[in-house]
Amino acid sequence: MRQLVLDTETTGLNARTGDRIIEIGCVELVNRRLTGNNLHFYVNPGRDSDPGRAGGARPDHGILSDKPKFADIAAELRDFVAARS
């Protein structure tokens, strides 16, 4: 049985007000054992983090400006999630 563990970091908690993913990681397990098949991206959200959100995020001040936008990594993420072991 294939399982994926996903973790994300975001600019805030409300996509409707423009919050975006800034980091996403995926770890694959098969039969509850790590496979070594992992995926990780830093993502340019096109905005700073919300310093008032839960977790105490602080503004990015452009440190992610050289990273790909989510649209640029979406296909690779989708393919990773859809893969079958």
Side-chain angles (χ1 to χ4, degrees):
M1 174 176 64
R2 180 177 190 244
Q3 296 173 297
L4 296 177
V5 179
L6 290 103
D7 181 43
T8 61
E9 295 294 331
T10 66
T11 60
L13 300 175
N14 191 341
R16 291 182 182 167
T17 60
D19 289 322
R20 299 290 180 258
I21 292 173
I22 59 174
E23 184 177 10
I24 187 164
C26 306
V27 175
E28 180 187 64
L29 298 99
V30 173
N31 297 323
R32 298 186 182 182
R33 296 196 186 275
L34 294 171
T35 66
N37 189 17
N38 306 318
L39 190 70
H40 178 263
F41 293 104
Y42 288 107
V43 180
N44 179 347
R47 59 167 289 174
D48 278 347
S49 296
D50 177 0
R53 81 174 183 123
R58 46 190 193 280
D60 302 320
H61 300 295
I63 63 171
L64 297 170
S65 62
D66 65 335
K67 303 303 179 200
K69 301 264 184 186
F70 187 84
D72 299 327
I73 61 105
E76 187 174 353
L77 177 62
R78 181 196 63 229
D79 292 346
F80 182 86
V81 170
R84 300 199 185 259
S85 293

